Amino acid sequence: MTDHYQTLADTAMALVAPGKGILAIDESSGTIKKRFDGVGVENTEENRLDYRSMMLTTEGLGDYISGAILFDETIRQVMPDGTPLVKVMEQAGIIPGIKVDAGAKDLAGFPGEKVTEGLDGLRERLAEYAKLGARFAKWRAVITIGDDIPSRGCIEANAHALARYAALCQEAGIVPIVEPEVLMDGDHDLDTSFDVTEATQKALFAELYEQNVMLEGTILKASMVISGSEASDRADINQVAEATVDCLLNAVPAATAGVVFLSGGQGDVEATAHLDAMNKMGEMPWPLSFSYGRALQAEALAHWAKDPKGNRAEAQAIMLHRSRMNGLASLGEWSEEEENQ
Ligand code: 13P
């Protein structure tokens, strides 16, 4: 392996180091507005920095969080004392990452389906992000389950874009996180989620191969195989864990550096319990860890929002606890006792 590829493989391994996972705080301006609206906080640049730096300056966070995915605004932000946020992260042992896609847009010719945009000019943007300190990136594709969807056309368009993005990242010395999210929305059952997730992941790895992407320097961000959020009879924790691992074993080459999950609307403890159940199943070809957004932040955000100054330390304690619980789950060592300590 050349030095260039070795660096990518080293970064990928550090992101899924034992007992650690990724914090996703890369909400776009629209999404963070929704989250702030939900807790009554005004969506200003200052509040966004205050909130996100509250999380990142949590003492000891680096013991459980290997890296954090930032939004374009955040990677450029500077703390009130003049220190760039990226420096603060590096000092805390948290690797800076960056969301680089331009969002999921309607896919022409395929009503109800989306394709993620953002390839134009990506080489130049990646070069700038690398200079700003980013060592890994994220691109999220969205696959919707519904009547007669997803279509093959949608799965393939998204897989192709993910692979083109991944190749550009590796050229820039940045580890790509490839995220084909199969949405939980709907009343579909576990088997349907399995079939769609398997088809999506298989199409993705076929495209990664076609585009010469090095799997040892790539991380899959996967959605779990899970019943639709409105399904009448939802699968339990062990069924979800078994179906998800079964799907991954069928679709994800062993050379892939690691698999991290999104939470996708699951409850905080539910997301932890699912990850823990998978890791209790025994040895896997890849580390299985987390890259949660909502499931890591929800409780800390709600607490911080009530009194951003007065509750800062308590919100950080909540953040640390949730991160530690997921760190334990990534080792298969989480328990209700640890949760309620
Ligand atoms: P959730 O864990 O809230 O689904 O967010 C993770 C993420 O980064 C989605 O792209």
Side-chain angles (χ1 to χ4, degrees):
M1 223 184 263
T2 63
D3 285 354
H4 180 80
Y5 283 109
Q6 189 61 55
T7 303
L8 288 170
D10 290 348
T11 302
M13 260 180 24
L15 287 168
V16 289
K20 293 190 188 187
I22 297 168
L23 169 62
I25 49 170
D26 58 323
E27 299 86 1
S28 62
S29 312
T31 304
I32 193 74
K33 179 175 179 341
K34 251 193 273 170
R35 305 271 186 270
F36 275 8
D37 283 351
V39 292
V41 171
E42 201 191 338
N43 186 26
T44 61
E45 184 182 345
E46 195 185 341
N47 285 344
R48 290 192 292 271
L49 175 62
D50 189 35
Y51 170 59
R52 287 169 167 151
S53 64
M54 175 277 289
M55 290 186 275
L56 293 170
T57 55
T58 298
E59 188 81 34
L61 195 70
D63 292 344
Y64 313 109
I65 299 295
S66 56
I69 317 170
L70 308 176
F71 186 60
D72 180 76
E73 172 187 275
T74 323
I75 199 171
R76 303 168 193 280
Q77 277 177 324
V78 173
M79 298 291 283
D81 72 358
T83 316
L85 194 62
V86 167
K87 267 269 139 47
V88 172
M89 292 172 68
E90 283 163 357
Q91 283 160 5
I94 299 170
I95 302 172
I98 182 77
K99 166 202 178 76
V100 301
D101 67 67
K105 308 286 161 66
D106 289 343
L107 177 60
F110 294 84
E113 298 195 276
K114 304 269 184 199
V115 66
T116 300
E117 296 186 349
L119 287 173
D120 288 354
L122 183 57
R123 173 176 278 131
E124 292 72 26
R125 289 197 291 129
L126 286 167
E128 191 201 0
Y129 286 138
K131 274 205 197 112
L132 288 167
R135 290 169 53 203
F136 72 103
K138 180 191 108 173
W139 177 291
R140 172 176 175 257
V142 177
I143 304 294
T144 310
I145 299 180
D147 290 342
D148 295 325
I149 58 172
S151 64
R152 198 68 218 164
C154 172
I155 289 177
E156 280 175 10
N158 277 294
H160 182 76
L162 275 163
R164 296 270 312 279
Y165 139 83
L168 282 162
C169 283
Q170 292 192 337
E171 180 188 89
I174 288 179
V175 168
I177 293 191
V178 288
E179 179 182 11
E181 174 172 3
V182 176
L183 294 179
M184 257 171 87
D185 304 350
D187 60 2
H188 52 270
D189 61 14
L190 192 72
D191 285 350
T192 306
S193 173
F194 185 100
D195 290 345
V196 171
T197 307
E198 184 186 28
T200 299
Q201 291 176 354
K202 284 190 165 168
L204 171 61
F205 281 94
E207 284 286 346
L208 292 174
Y209 173 70
E210 296 294 346
Q211 297 298 326
N212 288 338
V213 174
M214 186 194 62
L215 296 184
E216 292 86 343
T218 301
I219 291 176
L220 171 68
K221 178 157 171 168
S223 41
M224 295 182 197
V225 174
I226 190 165
S227 315
S229 47
E230 286 128 48
S232 48
D233 186 19
R234 305 196 68 220
D236 67 20
I237 290 181
N238 284 322
Q239 288 170 318
V240 168
E242 277 169 25
T244 302
V245 166
D246 191 13
C247 180
L248 293 172
L249 287 171
N250 275 284
V252 182
T256 308
V259 178
V260 294
F261 293 100
L262 58 97
S263 58
Q266 296 181 40
D268 303 3
V269 177
E270 184 187 11
T272 304
H274 281 144
L275 177 62
D276 182 65
M278 286 184 232
N279 281 307
K280 280 190 165 69
M281 287 170 65
E283 276 291 299
M284 302 285 160
W286 354 251
L288 291 183
S289 191
F290 59 93
S291 174
Y292 296 153
R294 282 161 288 179
L296 274 171
Q297 296 182 55
E299 202 187 335
L301 171 62
H303 203 75
W304 171 84
K306 281 188 218 145
D307 180 1
K309 280 203 172 50
N311 283 357
R312 195 174 175 91
E314 277 176 40
Q316 289 183 326
I318 293 169
M319 188 72 214
L320 190 67
H321 176 73
R322 207 60 266 131
S323 302
R324 192 170 77 81
M325 291 305 103
N326 284 303
L328 287 170
S330 75
L331 300 168
E333 292 174 5
W334 174 79
S335 65
E336 295 278 348
E337 294 76 61
E338 292 280 1
E339 185 63 49
N340 297 319
Q341 247 180 30

